[in-house]
Amino acid sequence: MAEVPAKLEKGGSWVTSRIDIGNDGIVLKDPWNVTVSYRSIVDLQKRGQMITLLVSMPDKTERPYKIASVEKVLTIVTKKIIMACNAYRIMAHFMSPAIRGGVLVTDAKWEKGAIAVLKTGIWFVSQDKQISVPLKEVASLELTKRELQKKKLDVIKIDHLEGGEVVTSFILCPLSTLQVLYNFLRDATKDMDMKGSELDQLDAQTAQVAMLIYSGMDTKSIENMLSLPPEELNAIYETLLKLKLVDVVMVRKEVQLTPKGVRYITDALKPPS
Amino acid sequence: MGRILIVDDTLFMRTLLKNILSSGGHEIVGEAEDGDIGVTKYRELKPDLVTMDVVMPKMNGIEALKAIKALDANAKVIMCTAVGQEQMVKLAIKSGARGYIVKPFQAPKVLEEIGNVLGA
């Protein structure tokens, strides 16, 4: 057991405490004073200097525990949990991030480690890296091929959103395992699949608008680039909104001057007397 | 900021790139819809940087890249291709490309990559 300092949350309050990191579980001291076995952990989320464990209780309910600590401690705890928690897990190679916003990451390399699919996210853990991809941020999954040491090997390509950027990662492992992992991930993210009836509503122009939104163009730029009147673009936005392909981030106003406004401008432009 | 030549066979992608690059303060000195015209325009315009699509009719992007590098060994060319053609990366880099953009792309990252290559 290794005892390390940490802050533990209970009822909205944080208590300066300690945790014991063991081989089979983790002991959360004051205010919880509980032993959590790694096998009972069904989910792990990391946000900044804090992790949240979701623990399956004997009465079938799930209880969250929040731990805040320094990065070094969280890295050790995270690795222990990912390698032993209740999740679908395989040993594999991964490259993450490989592409960011459409630009190849120059120092991207294959890392040897474990891939674990938990309740709300996919974790990549190697000697040097710990990366989590929330399932709700997974934009697309594809079984494809990638050249490695002059051989074309089967890989899973995952596109996911990270702070508004589209990030691409790759997973490499034996094909039989890869297929199982792919099916598992497809199933875990099936809510994102487009239905045939939804695809029917997307014509070529709507797809072009979606592509321009992806590239970061604003409404005015899209109108100019596609020579679209505002009403037509609004109708396309409505289709995209209805299909949950976009969110409204800002409502812009078009205004015109009132008589009072015209008087103000006229007065403002008069030369000083 | 740089003078940029855009080589892509689709008007949509050329317009998109033009918009992104102009918003970053770059000057678009020319456009070409295939590799052949791209090489001719490079010779005429001497841009600071070229964005080059890989799959194009007549002369493809890799051939055009090689032709431009033969004209000017210091030419800065960034390749631009669709998802699934990443295996072209090695060939392009070997042929002298300074960077690689995968479609679909996001404006801030494209500008960052262009800035890096122009600054190099």
Side-chain angles (χ1 to χ4, degrees):
Chain A
M1 285 267 189
E3 195 178 277
V4 290
K7 283 187 175 177
L8 303 176
E9 188 261 2
K10 189 174 186 183
S13 302
W14 287 91
V15 177
T16 302
S17 180
R18 300 188 78 78
I19 55 175
D20 275 345
I21 306 167
N23 287 331
D24 302 320
I26 181 170
V27 180
L28 308 177
K29 302 280 178 77
D30 193 42
W32 289 107
N33 295 305
V34 291
T35 301
V36 174
S37 79
Y38 295 131
R39 288 295 303 163
S40 67
I41 299 172
V42 294
D43 197 32
L44 172 70
Q45 293 176 41
K46 185 169 187 280
R47 198 167 294 154
Q49 299 288 85
M50 181 188 85
I51 54 173
T52 304
L53 323 177
L54 194 62
V55 177
S56 174
M57 307 304 286
D59 63 0
K60 307 279 184 204
T61 59
E62 289 170 347
R63 176 179 290 170
Y65 291 100
K66 290 181 181 173
I67 304 169
S69 191
V70 294
E71 191 59 39
K72 194 175 172 184
V73 168
L74 294 183
T75 301
I76 295 167
V77 175
T78 299
K79 191 167 186 182
K80 286 271 188 192
I81 292 171
I82 294 301
M83 300 308 286
C85 70
N86 186 358
Y88 177 77
R89 181 174 36 251
I90 56 164
M91 300 312 287
H93 288 81
F94 64 87
M95 187 190 280
S96 181
I99 303 169
R100 195 179 271 280
V103 176
L104 296 184
V105 176
T106 44
D107 58 353
K109 58 176 185 176
W110 287 104
E111 307 256 353
K112 190 179 178 184
I115 314 286
V117 187
L118 281 77
K119 198 166 183 169
T120 62
I122 309 163
W123 278 85
F124 303 103
V125 176
S126 72
Q127 192 70 29
D128 305 320
K129 271 190 178 173
Q130 293 185 346
I131 295 166
S132 78
V133 176
L135 287 172
K136 65 177 173 26
E137 303 291 343
V138 173
S140 76
L141 289 163
E142 190 187 346
L143 262 179
T144 182
K145 290 194 185 287
R146 188 104 182 150
E147 198 175 293
L148 184 67
Q149 291 169 348
K150 294 185 179 172
K151 284 184 201 159
K152 279 194 176 173
L153 301 171
D154 293 283
V155 295
I156 296 176
K157 173 173 166 288
I158 303 177
D159 287 334
H160 51 100
L161 290 170
E162 193 183 292
E165 283 181 352
V166 181
V167 171
T168 301
S169 303
F170 293 101
I171 300 173
L172 170 71
C173 61
L175 184 58
S176 54
T177 319
L178 203 68
Q179 190 72 56
V180 174
L181 176 64
Y182 176 73
N183 291 340
F184 195 91
L185 288 172
R186 286 284 311 182
D187 196 53
T189 58
K190 65 182 174 204
D191 291 349
M192 310 265 186
D193 287 347
M194 296 280 289
K195 297 177 190 77
S197 58
E198 290 179 325
L199 287 168
D200 290 345
Q201 298 173 54
L202 295 169
D203 58 17
Q205 192 153 59
T206 309
Q208 280 189 333
V209 170
M211 169 82 160
L212 293 176
I213 297 168
Y214 182 107
S215 297
M217 297 293 112
D218 61 17
T219 299
K220 203 75 202 162
S221 303
I222 296 172
E223 282 172 10
N224 289 340
M225 284 180 67
L226 301 179
S227 303
L228 277 175
E231 305 76 40
E232 268 186 51
L233 184 56
N234 271 344
I236 291 173
Y237 279 178
E238 285 304 323
T239 304
L240 294 171
L241 278 164
K242 201 172 77 187
L243 295 172
K244 294 190 169 60
L245 298 181
V246 295
D247 284 326
V248 176
V249 287
M250 192 205 301
V251 178
R252 220 181 262 273
K253 287 182 176 165
E254 289 293 335
V255 297
Q256 65 174 21
L257 287 178
T258 59
K260 188 178 175 183
V262 173
R263 180 180 293 189
Y264 161 69
I265 290 298
T266 312
D267 289 346
L269 291 174
K270 279 181 187 161
S273 53
Chain B
M1 299 305 111
R3 299 170 64 254
I4 299 177
L5 168 67
I6 299 170
V7 187
D8 198 302
D9 62 328
T10 61
L11 174 64
F12 178 73
M13 288 312 297
R14 289 203 304 275
T15 313
L16 175 56
L17 273 169
K18 196 160 64 175
N19 221 289
I20 291 173
L21 299 176
S22 303
S23 75
H26 300 288
E27 183 193 353
I28 311 307
V29 291
E31 294 177 41
E33 59 267 29
D34 69 49
D36 204 12
I37 301 171
V39 176
T40 308
K41 289 216 169 170
Y42 185 86
R43 197 183 288 121
E44 286 169 14
L45 302 166
K46 298 276 188 294
D48 299 326
L49 186 140
V50 182
T51 66
M52 177 77 74
D53 187 18
V54 172
V55 182
M56 286 184 292
K58 293 185 188 170
M59 185 188 278
N60 72 33
I62 300 286
E63 287 167 330
L65 164 69
K66 286 178 184 169
I68 288 174
K69 294 300 276 189
L71 285 173
D72 176 3
N74 296 317
K76 292 176 174 175
V77 181
I78 288 185
M79 305 306 286
C80 193
T81 191
V83 171
Q85 294 168 335
E86 293 96 333
Q87 65 272 22
M88 302 295 278
V89 175
K90 277 186 188 169
L91 184 56
I93 301 290
K94 214 170 128 183
S95 304
R98 297 285 187 93
Y100 216 95
I101 298 169
V102 183
K103 298 173 197 170
F105 42 71
Q106 292 183 292
K109 282 284 146 191
V110 171
L111 290 173
E112 193 181 307
E113 178 76 350
I114 299 272
N116 288 341
V117 173
L118 281 172

